[in-house]
Amino acid sequence: MYQKQITDCLKSVKQICDEHFALTVKLLKTLPKVSEIAAMTIIAETGGNVNIFENSGKITGWTGLRPRNQETTKVPENIKVPPQPKVTGICA
């Protein structure tokens, strides 16, 4: 039963993205590792407007991709994330 609900939900989100955010989805999918579902999720979470973030560092932090120091048992451990492409002007 829940599989049908998931399928119906994905169809609805895809339809909305196809109608209103087709260019945004296309551009987001050009980024490494961004699938169609990931692109639709980004649009759903941001309302299709990444310009609400002041810069690419802010959106990187919001997504949890910004490198940070993580302390485990009081020993600092560097967490490195590969550089992300600058995301600007992708919203239609």
Side-chain angles (χ1 to χ4, degrees), residues 57-73:
K58 299 279 185 180
I59 194 169
T60 305
W62 175 76
T63 60
L65 296 174
R66 181 181 300 148
R68 64 190 180 279
N69 287 331
Q70 182 175 358
E71 289 190 25
T72 307
T73 65

Side-chain angles (χ1 to χ4, degrees), residues 3-78:
Q3 288 290 12
K4 182 177 178 349
Q5 292 173 331
I6 291 171
T7 303
D8 291 346
C9 181
L10 284 174
K11 283 180 184 177
S12 295
V13 171
K14 182 166 175 27
Q15 180 182 0
I16 290 168
C17 285
D18 287 346
E19 289 175 12
H20 302 284
F21 301 104
L23 178 60
T24 305
V25 170
K26 181 179 178 180
L27 291 171
L28 283 169
K29 286 173 43 179
T30 65
L31 298 172
K33 308 280 183 174
V34 176
S35 66
E36 184 172 35
I37 290 177
M40 291 187 305
T41 302
I42 291 167
I43 290 167
E45 290 289 338
T46 63
N49 181 10
V50 295
N51 296 323
I52 60 174
F53 298 97
E54 295 174 19
N55 56 50
S56 60
K58 299 279 185 180
I59 194 169
T60 305
W62 175 76
T63 60
L65 296 174
R66 181 181 300 148
R68 64 190 180 279
N69 287 331
Q70 182 175 358
E71 289 190 25
T72 307
T73 65
K74 304 291 182 191
V75 178
E77 182 181 314
N78 281 333

Side-chain angles (χ1 to χ4, degrees), residues 73-90:
T73 65
K74 304 291 182 191
V75 178
E77 182 181 314
N78 281 333
I79 307 296
K80 294 187 179 182
V81 177
Q84 300 297 313
K86 187 174 181 180
V87 180
T88 59
I90 61 171

